[in-house]
Amino acid sequence: MPRVRFAPSPTGYFHVGSARTALFNWLFARQTGGTFVLRIEDTDEERNREDWVAGILSAMTWLHMDPDEGPYRQSGRRDEHHAAVDSLWASGSLYACDCTREAVEARTAGNATPGYDGHCRTRGIERGPGRALRFAVPDEGTVVVHDIVRGDVEFPLASIEDFVVVKSSGQPLFLLANTVDDIAMGITHVIRGEDLLPSTPKGMLIWRALEGDGVALPAFAHLPMLVNEQRKKLSKRRDPVSVESYREQGFLPEAFLNYLALLGWSHPSGRELLAVDELVTAFRLEDVNHSPAFFDVQKLTHLNGEYVRAMDVDAFVDACRPWTSGPGAPWPAERFDEGTFRELAPLVQERVDTLGAVPDMVDFVFLAEPRMDEAAWASVAADPLAATVLDGALGAYATCSWDAGTLHQVTAALAEQVGRKLGKAQAPVRVAVTGRRVGPPLFESMAVLGRAATLQRLQAARDRLGAVAGSEELPGGAGPGVGEAGALPGGAGAGAAVDQA
RNA sequence: GGCCCCAUCGUCUAGUGGCCUAGGACACCACCCUCUCAAGGUGGAGACACGGGUUCGAAUCCCGUUGGGGCUGCCA
């Protein structure tokens, strides 16, 4: 049975590239009936923090990629690492080195092949405090990495320097710990990022030195990098790479996983909307692409929208809780009512791509006053028929029965009166009631909001409009010509006065 | 500089010598639908980096060039 491992180094957040690597390991394990091992590579003390490890675990759980074994801590396996070092020392694979960085640089300055020059290889100095241990790499020959994704990759040994395996402080380094642990854990397939390809021959050298030349090495599969728009490896500095941040924006784990699977791989059918079990069934390491893939948030967002729209209403309402009921909600908790939200939910679901966009769609219901978008208001203030429409709505809505269908009819009649198509006629009402130019269908929105609040908001908007339009409009009636003439010159000054009131 | 990897529309990709006047998806544009916005529908623009081979035939195979990337740490 295959045994794969995902071996992240704790760096304070869960990188999307790591998530993709984890996913491909996980898919391979699930499909082959193998074991998915999680190993935390924290040999460097500075990377050994509990909360960072907890972050990785939590992100993996969110993505439904729970490990079958682990997490193991590399830091907890020091004894094994030191034992391996002793064994390598005993077999003559290692030598001690007391060169300073400066000395090496001075000696190798003009060399064609940079890196350590093997100065201490034949000096025969003993291991001890202050001395690093280097691996004696043969000068001639070739190491060939059998890579499932790329085929055979050859590395001339002459291009590989005598790399350090144990620091002068006595601490074993990544390459050694990583290899020793892979051996100990019986790893059969090493699936990781392409950035590790150049160090693979070094690991193979250690593996053979430890286990013997005849031993079977694991199969390797180096996955293409995830890059940004500049085609550079995704970096914490300039790119949004934290899985947690996508979770907070309201991406769904299933959608995120689906998108990640499409980076460097595709389903034979050509379909892109794929359930996890379809991924597990169809995934093949052999089919993984060779070239880097751009992490396209727009496409992720679209795919997420597909998942959001496909949810049943109850699941959607549930999933929205962190944004509607949590401390992050833009309204006071006591004003929120899930039953009310549920009425609007199907309409909202169709209009958002991420859950984080939900509050803006419904905040007009749960806020005492709608959050007025000033650009939207400006368009109402500039509309010569706005006052007429608002007055008409105020009159008609006061007595009609209160349901979306009736509101629709009544408003359509009003539109006909003012000589406009419904789409344009309803604009002032929408802005007055919801504070925005866009949102869920207006009549359903008002039906949910209720008559009292709707009328109150219409009146407030009408009052504000009256102040903006100035007194000229009132004696002259609501004729379009007069309103248009009055609105522009009176606008700025009167508007400022209202703001202070 | 050295070693290694990569190269199809802006992006993710299909394509494994003839089915390709290169297919799909995201994004973009137009139109339709429509109470706004979405969603949906229809249509459009848009790519085999370049040069040599091999072959009856090349996006597909080989070589070179160019371009991009990774690694080059007593980090992982």
Side-chain angles (χ1 to χ4, degrees):
Chain A
M1 280 292 121
R3 289 176 59 82
V4 298
R5 86 304 200 267
F6 171 54
S9 162
T11 50
Y13 60 99
F14 195 52
H15 194 288
V16 294
S18 299
R20 202 275 306 256
T21 299
L23 174 62
F24 282 23
N25 273 282
W26 183 84
L27 287 174
F28 179 75
R30 284 294 75 84
Q31 174 186 110
T32 57
T35 304
F36 178 57
V37 177
L38 174 61
R39 185 173 73 223
I40 307 296
E41 307 245 309
D42 56 355
T43 53
D44 188 24
E45 293 92 342
E46 288 174 21
R47 302 198 180 199
N48 190 1
R49 279 182 42 180
E50 272 320 303
D51 54 330
W52 288 359
V53 174
I56 291 173
L57 255 16
S58 137
M60 287 180 68
T61 298
W62 179 63
L63 289 170
H64 309 305
M65 292 193 295
D66 290 307
D68 300 316
E69 273 184 34
Y72 296 112
R73 309 302 175 89
Q74 201 155 62
S75 58
R77 300 179 37 78
R78 294 257 159 74
D79 292 349
E80 286 87 341
H81 303 152
H82 285 295
V85 169
D86 289 343
S87 153
L88 288 171
W89 176 264
S91 67
S93 302
L94 267 30
Y95 63 87
C97 170
D98 60 0
C99 294
T100 62
R101 184 192 181 84
E102 295 72 32
V104 175
E105 277 172 8
R107 277 203 308 272
T108 60
N111 287 5
T113 47
Y116 188 67
D117 59 356
H119 179 75
C120 293
R121 198 196 290 200
T122 54
R123 287 176 62 209
I125 59 178
E126 269 308 307
R127 27 186 322 206
R131 286 170 184 176
L133 259 32
R134 288 182 183 273
F135 192 97
V137 179
D139 294 326
E140 293 177 4
T142 300
V143 176
V144 12
V145 178
H146 300 291
D147 192 284
I148 298 174
V149 173
R150 282 153 220 285
D152 288 355
V153 183
E154 295 185 9
F155 293 86
L157 284 167
S159 71
I160 301 174
E161 63 177 317
D162 289 350
F163 53 95
V164 173
V165 141
V166 179
K167 288 207 228 183
S168 52
S169 68
Q171 186 189 55
L173 255 11
F174 154 76
L175 226 28
L176 182 111
N178 181 270
T179 305
V180 169
D181 290 352
D182 280 350
I183 293 171
M185 295 175 188
I187 299 305
T188 59
H189 298 257
V190 173
I191 304 167
R192 47 159 40 161
E194 192 201 336
D195 49 345
L196 274 314
L197 183 52
S199 74
T200 304
K202 297 177 185 175
M204 291 170 65
L205 252 17
I206 294 175
W207 193 302
R208 284 185 184 137
L210 247 17
E211 297 293 283
D213 283 343
V215 77
L217 294 173
F220 292 96
H222 288 95
L223 312 176
M225 298 272 82
L226 259 32
V227 299
N228 61 21
E229 44 277 87
Q230 282 85 42
R231 302 254 110 207
K232 298 214 188 294
K233 186 162 108 164
L234 248 31
S235 92
K236 182 186 187 178
R237 279 308 254 203
R238 6 163 251 273
D239 308 310
V241 295
S242 145
V243 170
E244 190 60 34
S245 74
Y246 289 96
R247 180 181 181 174
E248 285 163 4
Q249 288 171 62
F251 286 94
L252 302 171
E254 297 77 13
F256 198 77
L257 217 57
N258 189 160
Y259 179 67
L260 244 26
L262 261 18
L263 257 20
W265 179 80
S266 61
H267 194 272
S269 70
R271 283 184 300 116
E272 298 192 323
L273 191 64
L274 300 160
V276 178
D277 61 317
E278 292 182 285
L279 298 177
V280 169
T281 305
F283 181 76
R284 294 286 181 282
L285 279 176
E286 294 77 5
D287 294 339
V288 171
N289 290 140
H290 300 182
S291 43
F294 171 58
F295 187 86
D296 187 352
V297 179
Q298 273 195 314
K299 186 153 185 174
L300 200 214
T301 302
H302 174 267
L303 193 61
N304 200 67
E306 301 261 26
Y307 276 84
V308 169
R309 275 172 251 126
M311 284 198 239
D312 66 57
V313 183
D314 289 324
F316 176 71
V317 171
D318 282 352
C320 284
R321 288 218 181 90
W323 289 270
T324 56
S325 308
W331 44 73
E334 66 275 12
R335 286 194 57 91
F336 179 73
D337 175 65
E338 194 162 281
T340 305
F341 173 59
R342 199 183 183 292
E343 288 184 57
L344 245 22
L347 269 16
V348 173
Q349 210 177 330
E350 208 172 282
R351 289 171 170 73
V352 298
D353 286 325
T354 59
L355 268 19
V358 168
D360 277 358
M361 283 277 154
V362 295
D363 61 356
F364 72 95
V365 182
F366 303 115
L367 253 17
E369 300 291 329
R371 210 181 65 74
M372 186 58 69
D373 174 64
E374 288 308 320
W377 176 255
S379 72
V380 172
D383 178 357
L385 285 183
T388 310
V389 169
L390 256 21
D391 285 336
L394 242 9
Y397 296 167
T399 54
C400 73
S401 67
W402 203 256
D403 60 88
T406 305
L407 288 165
H408 190 162
Q409 284 172 16
V410 164
T411 310
L414 177 59
E416 201 166 338
Q417 272 178 44
V418 300
R420 272 184 179 174
K421 297 183 74 173
L422 180 53
K424 187 154 188 227
Q426 54 94 53
V429 177
R430 173 181 292 282
V431 173
V433 174
T434 71
R436 300 173 194 276
R437 251 182 306 205
V438 302
L442 179 60
F443 309 121
E444 285 78 356
S445 295
M446 293 194 294
V448 166
L449 220 209
R451 192 196 307 268
T454 300
L455 291 178
Q456 183 214 318
R457 290 174 185 196
L458 287 169
Q459 188 61 57
R462 181 61 185 86
D463 292 346
R464 185 177 175 188
L465 196 60
V468 172
S471 54
E472 293 170 52
E473 193 185 345
L474 295 175
V482 176
E484 201 162 30
L488 293 175
V498 167
D499 284 345
Q500 288 168 14

